[in-house]
Amino acid sequence: MGNKPSALKEVKRQVQGVRKANKGNLMAKNFDFKFFAKLSAQEQDAFLLCCQSGLDNPDSSMGCYAMQPADYDRFKPFFSKVLADYHKVGVDAKHKNNWSLSGVEGLPEDGKLDLE
């Protein structure tokens, strides 16, 4: 894609079209053109891969998917907003896991969940 003005204009046209077609498409709602324009050509290509589902399917509610785990960090300004919208929490919310199995019935006495 590259940082060519004509390519940036086309991306903007596509995203705005999706916004118009489906206000619930989180990719389009949270797509920040200034953030996108600051990315290198290679990063723009990778970012658009994450957004392609929403561009191809305007009726999608999510519209974006990380292609690799590093995308969540690399494109954090975008994904943090999308995930906050999806989970209906603040952008600064922290997920806390509780992996305790205490109180769960039917587990092996040794606590191992091996399938062997």
Side-chain angles (χ1 to χ4, degrees):
M1 196 218 107
N3 291 29
K4 297 177 187 172
S6 60
L8 293 173
K9 190 175 183 178
E10 175 59 19
V11 169
K12 190 170 188 176
R13 184 193 67 74
Q14 288 180 326
V15 171
Q16 288 175 332
V18 173
R19 281 182 181 167
K20 194 174 196 177
N22 179 6
K23 294 186 187 325
N25 183 303
L26 297 179
M27 175 281 300
K29 177 183 176 188
N30 291 287
F31 194 105
D32 182 335
F33 298 105
K34 289 179 183 175
F35 168 74
F36 181 75
K38 290 179 184 177
L39 298 174
S40 70
Q42 185 178 4
E43 290 171 325
Q44 285 181 352
D45 289 342
F47 184 72
L48 287 176
L49 281 176
C50 295
C51 297
Q52 196 62 51
S53 174
L55 295 171
D56 291 343
N57 304 288
D59 60 337
S60 170
S61 60
M62 189 63 152
C64 57
Y65 305 93
M67 297 291 109
Q68 52 193 4
D71 289 342
Y72 290 111
D73 292 323
R74 189 162 57 151
F75 306 124
K76 186 175 183 172
F78 170 75
F79 276 114
S80 62
K81 292 176 186 172
V82 169
L83 293 170
D85 264 0
Y86 180 79
H87 291 289
K88 299 179 183 9
V89 298
V91 177
D92 58 348
K94 300 287 183 201
H95 180 76
K96 295 179 183 175
N97 290 322
N98 177 357
W99 295 98
S100 172
L101 298 176
S102 64
V104 177
E105 294 182 25
L107 295 178
E109 284 186 33
D110 63 4
K112 284 188 171 186
L113 300 176
D114 289 337
L115 297 176
E116 295 178 15

